[in-house]
Amino acid sequence: MKPSPYSLLVSAARLGVAPERCTLVGDSVSDVEAAIAAEAMSIGYANRAGKEQSLARAGADAVIGSMDTLADALRESPVV
């Protein structure tokens, strides 16, 4: 269970990529903590008012308030 990084580490291993090349999108502080523990990037999804600050304080690399923001960024990003 989060904040254990276990599920992230297993997922990265099954995909054959280093956890540092992965990004976890989550809506809780424990999601951000799991990403940090796995040495992955994290995007905090502030799906309710007031979550922005707690996700940022937890160390999220970015905080978004809308999944549309994430979808737009993914569409604009080159595939690596």
Short mmCIF file of all heavy atoms in Angstrom, two decimals:
data_model
loop_
_atom_site.label_atom_id
_atom_site.label_comp_id
_atom_site.label_asym_id
_atom_site.label_seq_id
_atom_site.Cartn_x
_atom_site.Cartn_y
_atom_site.Cartn_z
N MET A 1 0.85 -1.19 0.00
CA MET A 1 0.00 0.00 0.00
C MET A 1 0.89 1.24 0.00
O MET A 1 1.96 1.25 0.57
CB MET A 1 -0.91 0.01 1.22
CG MET A 1 -1.95 -1.10 1.19
SD MET A 1 -3.10 -1.06 2.58
CE MET A 1 -3.91 0.48 2.31
N LYS A 2 0.41 2.26 -0.69
CA LYS A 2 1.15 3.50 -0.72
C LYS A 2 1.18 4.08 0.69
O LYS A 2 0.23 3.92 1.43
CB LYS A 2 0.49 4.48 -1.68
CG LYS A 2 0.56 4.01 -3.12
CD LYS A 2 -0.19 4.92 -4.04
CE LYS A 2 -1.64 4.57 -3.97
NZ LYS A 2 -2.55 5.26 -4.78
N PRO A 3 2.27 4.66 1.08
CA PRO A 3 3.33 5.20 0.26
C PRO A 3 4.46 4.23 -0.09
O PRO A 3 5.52 4.66 -0.55
CB PRO A 3 3.86 6.38 1.06
CG PRO A 3 3.65 5.97 2.48
CD PRO A 3 2.38 5.15 2.46
N SER A 4 4.26 2.97 0.05
CA SER A 4 5.27 2.01 -0.40
C SER A 4 5.43 2.14 -1.90
O SER A 4 4.45 2.21 -2.63
CB SER A 4 4.84 0.57 -0.06
OG SER A 4 5.68 -0.35 -0.74
N PRO A 5 6.67 2.15 -2.39
CA PRO A 5 6.90 2.27 -3.83
C PRO A 5 6.76 0.95 -4.58
O PRO A 5 6.98 0.90 -5.79
CB PRO A 5 8.33 2.79 -3.90
CG PRO A 5 8.99 2.16 -2.71
CD PRO A 5 7.92 2.19 -1.63
N TYR A 6 6.40 -0.12 -3.90
CA TYR A 6 6.41 -1.46 -4.49
C TYR A 6 5.70 -1.54 -5.84
O TYR A 6 6.26 -2.03 -6.82
CB TYR A 6 5.81 -2.47 -3.52
CG TYR A 6 5.74 -3.86 -4.08
CD1 TYR A 6 6.89 -4.65 -4.16
CD2 TYR A 6 4.55 -4.39 -4.57
CE1 TYR A 6 6.83 -5.93 -4.70
CE2 TYR A 6 4.49 -5.66 -5.11
CZ TYR A 6 5.64 -6.43 -5.17
OH TYR A 6 5.59 -7.68 -5.72
N SER A 7 4.46 -1.05 -5.92
CA SER A 7 3.70 -1.19 -7.17
C SER A 7 4.35 -0.40 -8.31
O SER A 7 4.34 -0.84 -9.46
CB SER A 7 2.24 -0.77 -6.99
OG SER A 7 2.15 0.58 -6.61
N LEU A 8 4.94 0.73 -8.01
CA LEU A 8 5.63 1.50 -9.03
C LEU A 8 6.88 0.78 -9.51
O LEU A 8 7.16 0.74 -10.71
CB LEU A 8 6.02 2.88 -8.49
CG LEU A 8 4.90 3.90 -8.42
CD1 LEU A 8 4.12 3.74 -7.14
CD2 LEU A 8 5.50 5.27 -8.50
N LEU A 9 7.62 0.22 -8.57
CA LEU A 9 8.85 -0.48 -8.94
C LEU A 9 8.55 -1.72 -9.78
O LEU A 9 9.24 -2.00 -10.76
CB LEU A 9 9.64 -0.84 -7.68
CG LEU A 9 10.15 0.36 -6.86
CD1 LEU A 9 10.75 -0.11 -5.55
CD2 LEU A 9 11.12 1.20 -7.66
N VAL A 10 7.52 -2.46 -9.40
CA VAL A 10 7.13 -3.65 -10.17
C VAL A 10 6.66 -3.24 -11.57
O VAL A 10 7.04 -3.85 -12.57
CB VAL A 10 6.04 -4.45 -9.43
CG1 VAL A 10 5.43 -5.51 -10.33
CG2 VAL A 10 6.62 -5.08 -8.18
N SER A 11 5.86 -2.19 -11.65
CA SER A 11 5.37 -1.73 -12.95
C SER A 11 6.52 -1.31 -13.85
O SER A 11 6.55 -1.67 -15.04
CB SER A 11 4.41 -0.55 -12.76
OG SER A 11 3.27 -0.96 -12.03
N ALA A 12 7.46 -0.56 -13.31
CA ALA A 12 8.61 -0.13 -14.10
C ALA A 12 9.42 -1.33 -14.57
O ALA A 12 9.82 -1.40 -15.75
CB ALA A 12 9.49 0.82 -13.29
N ALA A 13 9.63 -2.29 -13.69
CA ALA A 13 10.39 -3.49 -14.06
C ALA A 13 9.69 -4.26 -15.17
O ALA A 13 10.33 -4.71 -16.13
CB ALA A 13 10.60 -4.38 -12.83
N ARG A 14 8.38 -4.40 -15.07
CA ARG A 14 7.63 -5.13 -16.10
C ARG A 14 7.66 -4.41 -17.44
O ARG A 14 7.61 -5.04 -18.49
CB ARG A 14 6.20 -5.37 -15.65
CG ARG A 14 6.11 -6.42 -14.57
CD ARG A 14 4.70 -6.72 -14.17
NE ARG A 14 4.69 -7.71 -13.10
CZ ARG A 14 3.62 -8.03 -12.42
NH1 ARG A 14 2.44 -7.48 -12.70
NH2 ARG A 14 3.68 -8.92 -11.47
N LEU A 15 7.75 -3.10 -17.40
CA LEU A 15 7.84 -2.31 -18.63
C LEU A 15 9.27 -2.25 -19.15
O LEU A 15 9.51 -1.81 -20.27
CB LEU A 15 7.32 -0.89 -18.40
CG LEU A 15 5.81 -0.76 -18.19
CD1 LEU A 15 5.47 0.65 -17.72
CD2 LEU A 15 5.07 -1.09 -19.48
N GLY A 16 10.21 -2.66 -18.31
CA GLY A 16 11.61 -2.64 -18.71
C GLY A 16 12.23 -1.25 -18.72
O GLY A 16 13.13 -0.98 -19.51
N VAL A 17 11.73 -0.38 -17.84
CA VAL A 17 12.27 0.98 -17.75
C VAL A 17 12.68 1.29 -16.32
O VAL A 17 12.16 0.70 -15.37
CB VAL A 17 11.26 2.05 -18.24
CG1 VAL A 17 10.93 1.86 -19.70
CG2 VAL A 17 10.01 2.04 -17.40
N ALA A 18 13.61 2.20 -16.18
CA ALA A 18 14.03 2.64 -14.85
C ALA A 18 12.91 3.47 -14.22
O ALA A 18 12.23 4.23 -14.93
CB ALA A 18 15.29 3.47 -14.95
N PRO A 19 12.69 3.34 -12.92
CA PRO A 19 11.65 4.13 -12.26
C PRO A 19 11.83 5.64 -12.48
O PRO A 19 10.86 6.38 -12.54
CB PRO A 19 11.80 3.78 -10.78
CG PRO A 19 12.48 2.45 -10.78
CD PRO A 19 13.35 2.42 -11.99
N GLU A 20 13.08 6.07 -12.65
CA GLU A 20 13.35 7.48 -12.85
C GLU A 20 12.74 8.00 -14.16
O GLU A 20 12.59 9.20 -14.36
CB GLU A 20 14.86 7.75 -12.87
CG GLU A 20 15.56 7.39 -11.58
CD GLU A 20 15.92 5.91 -11.47
OE1 GLU A 20 15.98 5.20 -12.50
OE2 GLU A 20 16.14 5.46 -10.32
N ARG A 21 12.40 7.10 -15.06
CA ARG A 21 11.79 7.49 -16.34
C ARG A 21 10.27 7.39 -16.29
O ARG A 21 9.61 7.53 -17.31
CB ARG A 21 12.35 6.63 -17.46
CG ARG A 21 13.84 6.86 -17.64
CD ARG A 21 14.42 6.41 -18.94
NE ARG A 21 13.59 6.46 -20.11
CZ ARG A 21 13.52 7.49 -20.96
NH1 ARG A 21 14.21 8.57 -20.73
NH2 ARG A 21 12.76 7.40 -22.03
N CYS A 22 9.72 7.13 -15.11
CA CYS A 22 8.27 6.97 -14.94
C CYS A 22 7.70 8.19 -14.21
O CYS A 22 8.40 8.88 -13.48
CB CYS A 22 7.97 5.72 -14.12
SG CYS A 22 8.52 4.20 -14.90
N THR A 23 6.41 8.39 -14.41
CA THR A 23 5.69 9.46 -13.71
C THR A 23 4.40 8.89 -13.14
O THR A 23 3.63 8.24 -13.85
CB THR A 23 5.36 10.62 -14.67
OG1 THR A 23 6.56 11.12 -15.24
CG2 THR A 23 4.65 11.74 -13.95
N LEU A 24 4.18 9.14 -11.87
CA LEU A 24 2.95 8.74 -11.21
C LEU A 24 2.03 9.95 -11.14
O LEU A 24 2.45 11.02 -10.70
CB LEU A 24 3.23 8.24 -9.79
CG LEU A 24 1.98 7.97 -8.97
CD1 LEU A 24 1.55 6.53 -9.18
CD2 LEU A 24 2.16 8.26 -7.52
N VAL A 25 0.81 9.78 -11.58
CA VAL A 25 -0.22 10.81 -11.43
C VAL A 25 -1.13 10.34 -10.31
O VAL A 25 -1.70 9.25 -10.39
CB VAL A 25 -1.03 11.02 -12.73
CG1 VAL A 25 -2.10 12.08 -12.53
CG2 VAL A 25 -0.11 11.38 -13.88
N GLY A 26 -1.24 11.15 -9.27
CA GLY A 26 -2.07 10.74 -8.14
C GLY A 26 -2.72 11.92 -7.46
O GLY A 26 -2.29 13.06 -7.61
N ASP A 27 -3.76 11.63 -6.69
CA ASP A 27 -4.51 12.69 -6.04
C ASP A 27 -4.33 12.73 -4.53
O ASP A 27 -5.09 13.39 -3.83
CB ASP A 27 -6.00 12.56 -6.39
CG ASP A 27 -6.64 11.31 -5.83
OD1 ASP A 27 -5.91 10.43 -5.33
OD2 ASP A 27 -7.87 11.20 -5.89
N SER A 28 -3.30 12.06 -4.04
CA SER A 28 -3.09 12.07 -2.59
C SER A 28 -1.62 12.25 -2.25
O SER A 28 -0.73 11.97 -3.07
CB SER A 28 -3.60 10.77 -1.96
OG SER A 28 -2.76 9.69 -2.34
N VAL A 29 -1.38 12.70 -1.04
CA VAL A 29 -0.01 12.86 -0.55
C VAL A 29 0.71 11.52 -0.57
O VAL A 29 1.89 11.45 -0.93
CB VAL A 29 -0.02 13.48 0.87
CG1 VAL A 29 1.35 13.39 1.52
CG2 VAL A 29 -0.49 14.93 0.79
N SER A 30 0.03 10.43 -0.24
CA SER A 30 0.69 9.12 -0.26
C SER A 30 1.10 8.72 -1.67
O SER A 30 2.11 8.02 -1.84
CB SER A 30 -0.19 8.04 0.39
OG SER A 30 -1.37 7.85 -0.33
N ASP A 31 0.38 9.17 -2.69
CA ASP A 31 0.80 8.92 -4.08
C ASP A 31 2.13 9.61 -4.35
O ASP A 31 3.04 9.02 -4.94
CB ASP A 31 -0.25 9.43 -5.07
CG ASP A 31 -1.54 8.64 -5.04
OD1 ASP A 31 -1.51 7.43 -4.75
OD2 ASP A 31 -2.59 9.25 -5.32
N VAL A 32 2.23 10.87 -3.95
CA VAL A 32 3.47 11.63 -4.15
C VAL A 32 4.61 10.99 -3.37
O VAL A 32 5.72 10.83 -3.89
CB VAL A 32 3.27 13.11 -3.73
CG1 VAL A 32 4.58 13.88 -3.80
CG2 VAL A 32 2.21 13.77 -4.59
N GLU A 33 4.34 10.58 -2.14
CA GLU A 33 5.37 9.93 -1.32
C GLU A 33 5.85 8.62 -1.96
O GLU A 33 7.04 8.31 -1.93
CB GLU A 33 4.85 9.68 0.09
CG GLU A 33 4.61 10.95 0.87
CD GLU A 33 3.87 10.75 2.17
OE1 GLU A 33 3.24 9.68 2.36
OE2 GLU A 33 3.90 11.68 3.00
N ALA A 34 4.95 7.87 -2.55
CA ALA A 34 5.33 6.62 -3.22
C ALA A 34 6.23 6.91 -4.41
O ALA A 34 7.23 6.22 -4.64
CB ALA A 34 4.09 5.86 -3.67
N ALA A 35 5.89 7.93 -5.18
CA ALA A 35 6.72 8.29 -6.33
C ALA A 35 8.11 8.71 -5.88
O ALA A 35 9.12 8.30 -6.47
CB ALA A 35 6.06 9.41 -7.13
N ILE A 36 8.18 9.51 -4.85
CA ILE A 36 9.48 9.95 -4.32
C ILE A 36 10.29 8.75 -3.86
O ILE A 36 11.48 8.63 -4.16
CB ILE A 36 9.28 10.98 -3.19
CG1 ILE A 36 8.74 12.29 -3.78
CG2 ILE A 36 10.59 11.22 -2.44
CD1 ILE A 36 8.27 13.28 -2.75
N ALA A 37 9.67 7.83 -3.14
CA ALA A 37 10.36 6.64 -2.65
C ALA A 37 10.88 5.78 -3.80
O ALA A 37 11.92 5.13 -3.68
CB ALA A 37 9.44 5.82 -1.75
N ALA A 38 10.17 5.78 -4.93
CA ALA A 38 10.58 4.99 -6.10
C ALA A 38 11.55 5.77 -6.98
O ALA A 38 12.02 5.24 -7.98
CB ALA A 38 9.35 4.59 -6.92
N GLU A 39 11.80 7.02 -6.63
CA GLU A 39 12.65 7.92 -7.42
C GLU A 39 12.03 8.20 -8.79
O GLU A 39 12.73 8.40 -9.78
CB GLU A 39 14.07 7.40 -7.52
CG GLU A 39 14.75 7.30 -6.18
CD GLU A 39 16.19 6.82 -6.24
OE1 GLU A 39 16.74 6.67 -7.34
OE2 GLU A 39 16.75 6.61 -5.16
N ALA A 40 10.70 8.22 -8.83
CA ALA A 40 9.96 8.55 -10.04
C ALA A 40 9.49 9.99 -9.94
O ALA A 40 9.53 10.61 -8.87
CB ALA A 40 8.76 7.62 -10.19
N MET A 41 9.03 10.52 -11.05
CA MET A 41 8.43 11.85 -11.06
C MET A 41 6.99 11.72 -10.56
O MET A 41 6.41 10.63 -10.61
CB MET A 41 8.42 12.42 -12.48
CG MET A 41 9.80 12.58 -13.09
SD MET A 41 10.77 13.89 -12.33
CE MET A 41 9.89 15.30 -12.91
N SER A 42 6.42 12.84 -10.12
CA SER A 42 5.02 12.80 -9.67
C SER A 42 4.27 14.03 -10.13
O SER A 42 4.83 15.13 -10.15
CB SER A 42 4.95 12.67 -8.15
OG SER A 42 5.49 13.82 -7.53
N ILE A 43 3.02 13.80 -10.49
CA ILE A 43 2.11 14.89 -10.80
C ILE A 43 0.94 14.75 -9.84
O ILE A 43 0.25 13.73 -9.82
CB ILE A 43 1.60 14.82 -12.26
CG1 ILE A 43 2.78 14.96 -13.23
CG2 ILE A 43 0.54 15.90 -12.52
CD1 ILE A 43 2.39 14.77 -14.69
N GLY A 44 0.77 15.77 -9.03
CA GLY A 44 -0.34 15.78 -8.10
C GLY A 44 -1.60 16.28 -8.79
O GLY A 44 -1.57 17.33 -9.44
N TYR A 45 -2.67 15.53 -8.68
CA TYR A 45 -3.95 15.91 -9.27
C TYR A 45 -4.83 16.47 -8.16
O TYR A 45 -5.35 15.73 -7.31
CB TYR A 45 -4.60 14.72 -9.96
CG TYR A 45 -6.00 14.97 -10.45
CD1 TYR A 45 -6.34 16.15 -11.10
CD2 TYR A 45 -6.99 14.02 -10.27
CE1 TYR A 45 -7.63 16.38 -11.55
CE2 TYR A 45 -8.28 14.23 -10.72
CZ TYR A 45 -8.58 15.42 -11.36
OH TYR A 45 -9.87 15.62 -11.81
N ALA A 46 -4.98 17.78 -8.14
CA ALA A 46 -5.78 18.45 -7.12
C ALA A 46 -7.23 18.43 -7.56
O ALA A 46 -7.72 19.37 -8.18
CB ALA A 46 -5.28 19.88 -6.92
N ASN A 47 -7.90 17.35 -7.23
CA ASN A 47 -9.29 17.17 -7.68
C ASN A 47 -10.32 17.80 -6.74
O ASN A 47 -11.51 17.67 -6.98
CB ASN A 47 -9.59 15.68 -7.88
CG ASN A 47 -9.35 14.85 -6.65
OD1 ASN A 47 -8.86 15.35 -5.64
ND2 ASN A 47 -9.67 13.58 -6.73
N ARG A 48 -9.83 18.45 -5.71
CA ARG A 48 -10.70 19.18 -4.79
C ARG A 48 -9.98 20.44 -4.33
O ARG A 48 -8.75 20.49 -4.31
CB ARG A 48 -11.05 18.34 -3.57
CG ARG A 48 -12.01 17.22 -3.84
CD ARG A 48 -12.45 16.58 -2.56
NE ARG A 48 -11.26 16.18 -1.81
CZ ARG A 48 -11.15 15.08 -1.11
NH1 ARG A 48 -12.15 14.25 -1.02
NH2 ARG A 48 -10.05 14.78 -0.47
N ALA A 49 -10.75 21.43 -3.95
CA ALA A 49 -10.18 22.68 -3.47
C ALA A 49 -9.27 22.43 -2.27
O ALA A 49 -9.58 21.60 -1.41
CB ALA A 49 -11.30 23.64 -3.08
N GLY A 50 -8.15 23.10 -2.25
CA GLY A 50 -7.22 23.01 -1.13
C GLY A 50 -6.17 21.94 -1.26
O GLY A 50 -5.22 21.91 -0.48
N LYS A 51 -6.29 21.04 -2.22
CA LYS A 51 -5.30 19.97 -2.38
C LYS A 51 -3.99 20.45 -2.98
O LYS A 51 -2.96 19.81 -2.80
CB LYS A 51 -5.85 18.84 -3.24
CG LYS A 51 -6.69 17.85 -2.49
CD LYS A 51 -6.92 16.64 -3.36
CE LYS A 51 -7.39 15.47 -2.55
NZ LYS A 51 -7.54 14.28 -3.37
N GLU A 52 -4.04 21.55 -3.73
CA GLU A 52 -2.84 22.02 -4.40
C GLU A 52 -1.68 22.17 -3.43
O GLU A 52 -0.57 21.71 -3.70
CB GLU A 52 -3.08 23.37 -5.11
CG GLU A 52 -4.11 23.34 -6.19
CD GLU A 52 -5.52 23.65 -5.68
OE1 GLU A 52 -5.74 23.76 -4.45
OE2 GLU A 52 -6.42 23.76 -6.53
N GLN A 53 -1.94 22.81 -2.31
CA GLN A 53 -0.89 23.09 -1.34
C GLN A 53 -0.34 21.82 -0.70
O GLN A 53 0.87 21.67 -0.56
CB GLN A 53 -1.39 24.05 -0.27
CG GLN A 53 -1.68 25.42 -0.83
CD GLN A 53 -2.44 26.30 0.14
OE1 GLN A 53 -2.87 25.85 1.20
NE2 GLN A 53 -2.61 27.56 -0.21
N SER A 54 -1.20 20.90 -0.33
CA SER A 54 -0.71 19.68 0.33
C SER A 54 0.09 18.82 -0.64
O SER A 54 1.11 18.23 -0.25
CB SER A 54 -1.86 18.88 0.95
OG SER A 54 -2.76 18.43 -0.03
N LEU A 55 -0.32 18.77 -1.90
CA LEU A 55 0.43 17.99 -2.89
C LEU A 55 1.79 18.64 -3.17
O LEU A 55 2.81 17.95 -3.28
CB LEU A 55 -0.37 17.84 -4.17
CG LEU A 55 -1.64 16.99 -4.04
CD1 LEU A 55 -2.53 17.17 -5.28
CD2 LEU A 55 -1.30 15.53 -3.82
N ALA A 56 1.80 19.96 -3.26
CA ALA A 56 3.06 20.67 -3.48
C ALA A 56 3.99 20.51 -2.28
O ALA A 56 5.19 20.24 -2.44
CB ALA A 56 2.79 22.15 -3.76
N ARG A 57 3.46 20.64 -1.08
CA ARG A 57 4.28 20.46 0.14
C ARG A 57 4.84 19.05 0.23
O ARG A 57 5.94 18.85 0.76
CB ARG A 57 3.46 20.77 1.39
CG ARG A 57 3.38 22.23 1.72
CD ARG A 57 2.86 22.46 3.15
NE ARG A 57 1.59 21.80 3.39
CZ ARG A 57 0.40 22.35 3.23
NH1 ARG A 57 0.30 23.58 2.80
NH2 ARG A 57 -0.69 21.68 3.49
N ALA A 58 4.10 18.09 -0.27
CA ALA A 58 4.56 16.69 -0.23
C ALA A 58 5.72 16.45 -1.20
O ALA A 58 6.40 15.44 -1.11
CB ALA A 58 3.41 15.74 -0.55
N GLY A 59 5.91 17.39 -2.16
CA GLY A 59 7.03 17.26 -3.07
C GLY A 59 6.67 16.89 -4.49
O GLY A 59 7.54 16.48 -5.27
N ALA A 60 5.39 17.04 -4.88
CA ALA A 60 5.00 16.74 -6.25
C ALA A 60 5.82 17.59 -7.21
O ALA A 60 6.08 18.77 -6.96
CB ALA A 60 3.51 17.01 -6.46
N ASP A 61 6.25 17.00 -8.31
CA ASP A 61 7.02 17.73 -9.31
C ASP A 61 6.16 18.76 -10.03
O ASP A 61 6.66 19.78 -10.50
CB ASP A 61 7.63 16.75 -10.31
CG ASP A 61 8.65 15.85 -9.64
OD1 ASP A 61 9.70 16.36 -9.22
OD2 ASP A 61 8.38 14.64 -9.51
N ALA A 62 4.88 18.48 -10.14
CA ALA A 62 3.91 19.40 -10.73
C ALA A 62 2.57 19.12 -10.09
O ALA A 62 2.32 18.02 -9.61
CB ALA A 62 3.83 19.22 -12.24
N VAL A 63 1.71 20.13 -10.08
CA VAL A 63 0.35 19.96 -9.56
C VAL A 63 -0.60 20.51 -10.62
O VAL A 63 -0.40 21.60 -11.14
CB VAL A 63 0.15 20.71 -8.22
CG1 VAL A 63 -1.29 20.59 -7.75
CG2 VAL A 63 1.11 20.18 -7.16
N ILE A 64 -1.61 19.71 -10.93
CA ILE A 64 -2.61 20.12 -11.91
C ILE A 64 -3.99 20.09 -11.26
O ILE A 64 -4.22 19.36 -10.30
CB ILE A 64 -2.60 19.22 -13.17
CG1 ILE A 64 -2.87 17.75 -12.79
CG2 ILE A 64 -1.28 19.36 -13.92
CD1 ILE A 64 -3.06 16.83 -13.99
N GLY A 65 -4.90 20.87 -11.81
CA GLY A 65 -6.26 20.89 -11.29
C GLY A 65 -7.26 20.28 -12.24
O GLY A 65 -8.45 20.22 -11.94
N SER A 66 -6.77 19.85 -13.41
CA SER A 66 -7.66 19.31 -14.42
C SER A 66 -6.93 18.23 -15.22
O SER A 66 -5.77 18.42 -15.60
CB SER A 66 -8.11 20.43 -15.36
OG SER A 66 -8.66 19.92 -16.54
N MET A 67 -7.60 17.15 -15.49
CA MET A 67 -7.01 16.10 -16.33
C MET A 67 -6.84 16.59 -17.77
O MET A 67 -6.01 16.08 -18.50
CB MET A 67 -7.83 14.82 -16.28
CG MET A 67 -7.62 14.04 -15.01
SD MET A 67 -5.93 13.44 -14.93
CE MET A 67 -5.97 12.66 -13.34
N ASP A 68 -7.62 17.60 -18.15
CA ASP A 68 -7.44 18.20 -19.48
C ASP A 68 -6.03 18.78 -19.61
O ASP A 68 -5.42 18.69 -20.68
CB ASP A 68 -8.47 19.28 -19.74
CG ASP A 68 -9.88 18.74 -19.93
OD1 ASP A 68 -10.01 17.54 -20.31
OD2 ASP A 68 -10.84 19.49 -19.70
N THR A 69 -5.53 19.36 -18.55
CA THR A 69 -4.17 19.90 -18.54
C THR A 69 -3.16 18.81 -18.84
O THR A 69 -2.24 18.98 -19.65
CB THR A 69 -3.85 20.56 -17.19
OG1 THR A 69 -4.83 21.56 -16.91
CG2 THR A 69 -2.46 21.17 -17.16
N LEU A 70 -3.33 17.67 -18.20
CA LEU A 70 -2.44 16.54 -18.42
C LEU A 70 -2.57 16.01 -19.85
O LEU A 70 -1.57 15.77 -20.52
CB LEU A 70 -2.74 15.42 -17.42
CG LEU A 70 -1.92 14.16 -17.55
CD1 LEU A 70 -0.42 14.44 -17.36
CD2 LEU A 70 -2.39 13.12 -16.55
N ALA A 71 -3.78 15.86 -20.33
CA ALA A 71 -4.01 15.36 -21.68
C ALA A 71 -3.38 16.28 -22.72
O ALA A 71 -2.73 15.82 -23.67
CB ALA A 71 -5.50 15.20 -21.95
N ASP A 72 -3.51 17.59 -22.53
CA ASP A 72 -2.91 18.55 -23.46
C ASP A 72 -1.40 18.43 -23.46
O ASP A 72 -0.77 18.44 -24.51
CB ASP A 72 -3.32 19.98 -23.10
CG ASP A 72 -4.79 20.27 -23.36
OD1 ASP A 72 -5.44 19.49 -24.10
OD2 ASP A 72 -5.29 21.26 -22.78
N ALA A 73 -0.81 18.31 -22.28
CA ALA A 73 0.65 18.19 -22.18
C ALA A 73 1.14 16.91 -22.84
O ALA A 73 2.17 16.91 -23.52
CB ALA A 73 1.07 18.23 -20.72
N LEU A 74 0.41 15.83 -22.69
CA LEU A 74 0.81 14.57 -23.31
C LEU A 74 0.71 14.64 -24.83
O LEU A 74 1.56 14.10 -25.54
CB LEU A 74 -0.04 13.41 -22.77
CG LEU A 74 0.22 13.03 -21.32
CD1 LEU A 74 -0.81 12.02 -20.85
CD2 LEU A 74 1.63 12.50 -21.14
N ARG A 75 -0.30 15.31 -25.32
CA ARG A 75 -0.45 15.46 -26.77
C ARG A 75 0.69 16.29 -27.36
O ARG A 75 1.12 16.06 -28.48
CB ARG A 75 -1.79 16.11 -27.11
CG ARG A 75 -2.94 15.13 -27.17
CD ARG A 75 -4.17 15.77 -27.79
NE ARG A 75 -4.79 16.75 -26.91
CZ ARG A 75 -5.69 16.43 -25.97
NH1 ARG A 75 -6.05 15.19 -25.76
NH2 ARG A 75 -6.21 17.37 -25.22
N GLU A 76 1.20 17.25 -26.59
CA GLU A 76 2.25 18.13 -27.06
C GLU A 76 3.65 17.54 -26.88
O GLU A 76 4.60 18.01 -27.49
CB GLU A 76 2.18 19.48 -26.33
CG GLU A 76 0.92 20.25 -26.64
CD GLU A 76 0.75 21.46 -25.77
OE1 GLU A 76 1.67 21.82 -25.02
OE2 GLU A 76 -0.35 22.06 -25.80
N SER A 77 3.79 16.52 -26.06
CA SER A 77 5.10 15.95 -25.75
C SER A 77 5.54 14.98 -26.84
O SER A 77 4.75 14.18 -27.31
CB SER A 77 5.06 15.18 -24.43
OG SER A 77 4.81 16.06 -23.37
N PRO A 78 6.83 15.06 -27.17
CA PRO A 78 7.36 14.06 -28.10
C PRO A 78 7.46 12.70 -27.40
O PRO A 78 7.69 12.64 -26.19
CB PRO A 78 8.75 14.59 -28.45
CG PRO A 78 9.11 15.47 -27.30
CD PRO A 78 7.82 16.01 -26.75
N VAL A 79 7.27 11.64 -28.12
CA VAL A 79 7.41 10.31 -27.56
C VAL A 79 8.91 10.01 -27.49
O VAL A 79 9.63 10.17 -28.46
CB VAL A 79 6.69 9.27 -28.43
CG1 VAL A 79 6.91 7.87 -27.90
CG2 VAL A 79 5.21 9.60 -28.51
N VAL A 80 9.35 9.55 -26.32
CA VAL A 80 10.77 9.27 -26.12
C VAL A 80 11.00 7.79 -25.94
O VAL A 80 10.27 7.11 -25.34
CB VAL A 80 11.31 10.01 -24.89
CG1 VAL A 80 12.82 10.04 -24.91
CG2 VAL A 80 10.78 11.42 -24.78
#
